[in-house]
Amino acid sequence: MIRAVKAELIKTLGYATFWVLISLHAILFLLVLTIANKATLNFNGVESNILLSKPYTWGTVAWLASWFNLILALLFIILCGNDFLFGTYRRGLLDGFSRNNLFKAKLSLLMLIAIYVVVLVTLIALFATPVLSSWENLLTGYGYILVLFIQMLGYFSIALLIIVLTRNIALTIIVYLLYFALIEPIIRLFLPDSAAQFLPVKIISNLTPMPDFLGIMAKQFSQTDSIDANTLNTIDAINNSTSLTQNIVVACLYIAIFIVLSYFTFKRKDF
């Protein structure tokens, strides 16, 4: 198992595309977070940079980081697809690795990339956002980053299942993007809201929701009687449709299901 993981790391770290996409991910996130930290928009006296001040900072950081999950999901698809394309799995079997070891090595890579996201987001957030410069603030809001970690596993597990089924990089990318942007949204249109909110992409994306800027403004306006109580109640109803704990539990179940399906498909595939 350890030998298979080492071989996976050597192969990945020596791949130029890996470093290009990883660097692109880091640069884009740093750029967006820096802009968000410095930009100030005013809506009737409420400034948008309140989202990067306590107690909203970590939620905003996790949400911004989730924008770039797609880049890493595409990277993971390419890394997995190359093994099918270039016969790496077949060569691994000839070299004495079992299918279990090859699959576990790929899962280890999945976990390492997700851990990279956690470390990178934390370091960049601490660098670009002065309010996070104390250990107290770091420990208080780190739950948001752990949720981001689960979200990354969710995106990767979907990508893993599709690439194992298709064994084609281009087809997997097309199916992956279509499912996120078109297929599941269309399916949700034909389902009641109580069922639609539990579909995979909906659940996983809800792990890092957009900061409740509407609610923040409502609270600010309520102090000056600029918004009535009925509007506040409507906003609360929208923001509390599903709980974060519920989303985490369901997302973890989906991750487990996708990985198990990928494993049994991988075991049966002819390389």
Side-chain angles (χ1 to χ4, degrees), residues 25 52 80 97 132 195 198 223:
H25 172 268
L52 282 172
C80 292
F97 295 115
L132 296 177
F198 290 105
Q223 297 174 6

Side-chain angles (χ1 to χ4, degrees), residues 38-204:
K38 294 183 178 299
T40 300
L41 299 177
N42 190 291
F43 297 90
N44 293 331
V46 179
E47 295 183 348
S48 64
N49 60 4
I50 192 175
L51 296 181
L52 282 172
S53 63
K54 294 184 293 185
Y56 312 109
T57 313
W58 277 111
T60 302
V61 168
W63 173 62
L64 291 175
S66 70
W67 293 6
F68 307 104
N69 286 341
L70 182 61
I71 294 176
L72 296 180
L74 295 179
L75 170 62
F76 186 70
I77 289 172
I78 293 171
L79 293 176
C80 292
N82 281 343
D83 289 332
F84 290 109
L85 179 64
F86 298 114
T88 310
Y89 286 134
R90 183 179 302 170
R91 179 57 186 269
L93 293 175
L94 294 176
D95 288 340
F97 295 115
S98 68
R99 287 178 181 255
N100 284 341
N101 286 339
L102 293 175
F103 187 80
K104 290 177 181 177
K106 196 61 69 177
L107 285 184
S108 298
L109 178 63
L110 181 155
M111 292 290 293
L112 288 173
I113 296 177
I115 292 172
Y116 148 79
V117 173
V118 170
V119 174
L120 175 81
V121 169
T122 301
L123 293 177
I124 290 182
L126 289 172
F127 171 78
T129 311
V131 73
L132 296 177
S133 59
S134 71
W135 285 108
E136 179 183 358
N137 291 331
L138 173 62
L139 297 176
T140 299
Y142 208 63
Y144 288 101
I145 304 303
L146 294 180
V147 170
L148 179 67
F149 175 79
I150 296 174
Q151 186 183 61
M152 284 301 309
L153 296 183
Y155 286 130
F156 284 174
S157 64
I158 296 174
L160 177 63
L161 177 59
I162 298 174
I163 189 64
V164 169
L165 288 171
T166 65
R167 295 186 294 175
N168 183 286
I169 295 175
L171 180 59
T172 298
I173 291 175
I174 292 172
V175 172
Y176 187 83
L177 295 178
L178 283 178
Y179 184 79
F180 271 74
L182 190 63
I183 297 174
E184 185 174 301
I186 291 176
I187 294 174
R188 290 202 297 264
L189 292 176
F190 295 95
L191 295 176
D193 291 341
S194 58
Q197 65 182 344
F198 290 105
L199 290 180
V201 171
K202 183 68 173 177
I203 282 289
I204 294 171

